[in-house]
């Protein structure tokens, strides 16, 4: 029996499917207007289905201003052009509900890929977690401000004229009048517990939604190996526990907490967060260290190449509407030649130089070559001494 081809429109059960259904993500950077992701994305594989609920029905907050800042306006004259490998791996990650590791040298647009996916598929604001050498899993899941809660309890006591341990009223006070003026205390001070809990980017991404959120985990190279192992466990389970809420679940089963979105809140049931739609996770890596085989097995890996001339031209057209074609073409050609000559250059360096070249009050011709040399300084030149 002949094997079914990768893009054969005949499904395994003999039915015919739309041959374009595979390309949910097209890599143009422009929003899809034909259908929402919930109608385009097929069901998850059985081993990647999560029973979280009740579902949050509100849409993720929009962030078009950030998309425009990073990608240019959605109606840019030249559409972004993704490589076939990028399109296939992003769509594979969507179908399999697996994280996507995006590797490559600095400055080639790895983190921008998360914003491109989110804008194109209508997933709203990107949740961003920038990793440092001190990052922990709990930091990405949630934070509990125990000190702030104690301070507020002390302030409330001071306003009521009581201090911790005070068991009597002043001699001059009328007990009946004091009882009428003082509101009854809340049992255990649990009424506002959620005010002191803030979900992190990962914790917010795992909230139960019918449509996934986009999570960007930036520069995972900076984390230690224990962090990577802990992160893998959460990716596999699709859930996490908040002990501060779980231990009071019998008295406070539902608690409203803050999320990583501006002014965002969510209700946590019995101290557990379980996802329904696994988030679209983009993990960037500069290739500075190796990730564990166990982590790599459970992710997809995209080695993002440096942008070519057409991709650089599309980037400049999206961000800079003005500029002469001949001068811009020459600038791109010289930039690529400089990069191939052994320099490690970032696309941002080209964007900066083209902006100055076309600015009405930009530098004069006599200083341009020297300035351009400084702008196109290799990113690894400053690592000496």
């Amino acid at each position: 029996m002949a094997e079914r081809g990768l893009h054969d429109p005949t499904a395994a059960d003999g039915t015919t499917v739309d041959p374009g259904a595979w390309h949910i993500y097209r890599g143009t950077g422009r929003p899809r207007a034909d259908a929402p992701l919930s109608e385009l994305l097929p069901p998850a594989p059985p081993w990647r289905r999560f029973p979280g609920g009740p579902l949050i029905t509100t849409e993720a907050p929009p962030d078009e201003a950030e998309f425009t800042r990073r990608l240019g306006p959605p109606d840019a004259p030249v559409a972004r052009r993704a490589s076939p490998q990028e399109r296939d791996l992003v769509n594979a990650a969507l179908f399999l509900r697996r994280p996507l590791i995006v590797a490559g040298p600095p400055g080639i647009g790895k983190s921008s890929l998360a914003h491109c996916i989110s804008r194109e598929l209508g997933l709203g604001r990107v949740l961003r977690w920038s990793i440092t050498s001190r990052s922990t899993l709990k930091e990405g899941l949630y934070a509990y401000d125990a000190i702030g809660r104690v301070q507020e309890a002390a302030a409330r006591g001071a306003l009521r004229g009581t201090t911790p341990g005070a068991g009597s009223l002043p001699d001059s006070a009328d007990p009946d009048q004091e009882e009428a003026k003082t509101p009854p205390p809340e049992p255990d001070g649990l009424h506002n517990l959620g005010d002191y809990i803030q979900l992190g980017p990962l914790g917010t991404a795992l909230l139960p939604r019918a449509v996934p959120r986009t999570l960007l985990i930036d520069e995972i190279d900076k984390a230690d190996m224990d962090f990577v192992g802990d992160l893998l466990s959460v990716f596999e389970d699709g859930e996490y526990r908040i002990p501060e809420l779980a231990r009071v679940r019998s008295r406070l089963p539902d608690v409203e907490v803050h999320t990583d979105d501006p002014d965002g809140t969510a209700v946590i049931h019995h101290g557990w967060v379980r996802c329904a739609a696994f988030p679209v996770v983009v993990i960037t890596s500069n290739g500075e260290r190796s990730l564990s085989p166990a982590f790599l097995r459970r992710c997809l890996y995209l080695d993002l190449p440096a942008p070519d001339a057409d991709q650089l031209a599309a980037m400049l057209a999206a961000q800079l509407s003005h500029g002469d074609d001949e001068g811009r073409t020459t600038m791109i050609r010289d930039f690529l030649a400089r990069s191939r000559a052994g320099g490690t250059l970032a696309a941002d360096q080209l964007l900066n130089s083209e902006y100055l070249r076309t600015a009405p009050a930009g530098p004069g011709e006599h200083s341009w070559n020297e300035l351009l040399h400084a702008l196109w300084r290799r990113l690894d030149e400053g690592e000496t001494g």
Side-chain angles (χ1 to χ4, degrees):
M1 180 183 295
E3 295 183 359
R4 177 173 177 253
L6 181 61
H7 299 296
D8 191 331
T10 304
D13 60 1
T15 59
T16 300
V17 297
D18 178 6
W22 165 250
H23 289 113
I24 295 175
Y25 169 76
R26 299 168 179 171
T28 64
R30 293 175 173 174
R32 288 194 59 156
D34 50 350
L37 181 62
S38 58
E39 297 180 10
L40 297 170
L41 194 61
W47 57 91
R48 296 297 292 167
R49 295 176 186 172
F50 301 97
L55 296 180
I56 297 174
T57 56
T58 56
E59 293 184 355
D63 201 6
E64 185 54 42
E66 180 67 6
F67 293 155
T68 299
R69 187 180 75 84
R70 287 180 169 272
L71 307 173
D75 56 351
V78 180
R80 181 181 181 273
R81 183 177 60 82
S83 68
Q85 184 189 35
E86 177 189 317
R87 292 197 300 269
D88 281 340
L89 280 169
V90 170
N91 284 300
L94 291 171
F95 273 61
L96 296 173
R97 275 65 167 185
R98 288 292 187 183
L100 176 66
I101 299 173
V102 183
I108 63 171
K110 298 186 298 294
S111 59
S112 294
L113 179 59
H115 294 83
C116 187
I117 295 170
S118 200
R119 175 197 259 179
E120 186 171 322
L121 302 183
L123 302 182
R125 175 179 176 267
V126 173
L127 298 161
R128 180 170 184 171
W129 186 11
S130 296
I131 303 302
T132 70
S133 59
R134 297 180 299 277
S135 292
T136 63
L137 178 65
K138 183 180 177 182
E139 166 197 313
L141 293 175
Y142 78 97
Y144 171 56
D145 186 7
I147 295 176
R149 189 177 174 214
V150 170
Q151 290 174 339
E152 182 175 333
R156 282 202 312 269
L159 289 174
R160 291 172 180 164
T162 62
T163 57
S168 61
L169 296 169
D171 294 338
S172 59
D174 184 336
D176 294 333
Q177 291 181 359
E178 288 297 323
E179 184 176 353
K181 290 190 295 183
T182 304
E186 292 81 4
D188 303 326
L190 296 179
H191 70 293
N192 62 346
L193 178 59
D195 291 345
Y196 302 97
I197 294 178
Q198 170 90 44
L199 301 187
L202 175 58
T204 302
L206 290 173
L207 288 169
R209 290 180 173 273
V211 178
R213 292 294 300 269
T214 304
L215 171 66
L216 170 63
I217 301 179
D218 216 5
E219 298 192 353
I220 198 170
D221 308 77
K222 296 180 179 179
D224 60 31
M225 291 307 297
D226 290 338
F227 169 86
V228 174
D230 295 340
L231 186 62
L232 178 59
S233 297
V234 174
F235 284 162
E236 286 299 292
D237 297 338
E239 64 181 20
Y240 64 97
R241 179 175 176 265
I242 302 178
E244 292 82 359
L245 300 183
R247 70 171 60 104
V248 298
R249 62 186 181 276
S250 61
R251 289 169 290 170
L252 208 63
D254 296 306
V255 180
E256 186 176 42
V257 303
H258 301 284
T259 70
D260 193 59
D261 291 317
D263 301 321
T265 61
V267 175
I268 308 302
H269 182 66
H270 281 198
W272 278 93
V273 176
R274 295 181 173 91
C275 78
F278 189 78
V280 178
V281 182
V282 175
I283 304 172
T284 68
S285 168
N286 293 331
E288 296 173 357
R289 49 165 283 187
S290 299
L291 298 171
S292 70
F295 191 81
L296 293 174
R297 277 199 310 270
R298 292 168 174 84
C299 299
L300 281 76
Y301 194 93
L302 169 63
D303 196 352
L304 199 66
D308 60 21
D310 290 340
Q311 291 170 324
L312 291 173
M315 178 196 73
L316 294 180
Q319 295 285 4
L320 302 170
S321 57
H322 56 281
D324 56 290
D325 292 340
E326 183 178 351
R328 179 164 294 178
T329 300
T330 302
M331 177 74 77
I332 293 172
R333 184 193 65 210
D334 294 346
F335 178 83
L336 289 174
R338 177 75 173 267
S339 298
R340 297 188 189 104
T344 303
L345 300 181
D348 285 348
Q349 292 172 281
L350 173 63
L351 190 61
N352 291 337
S353 57
E354 179 67 359
Y355 175 80
L356 292 178
R357 186 186 73 85
T358 58
E365 291 185 9
H366 63 283
S367 60
W368 174 243
N369 288 336
E370 184 176 349
L371 177 59
L372 190 62
H373 178 76
L375 291 171
W376 289 1
R377 186 180 183 219
R378 283 172 45 186
L379 297 180
D380 53 2
E381 284 183 359
E383 296 179 359
T384 59

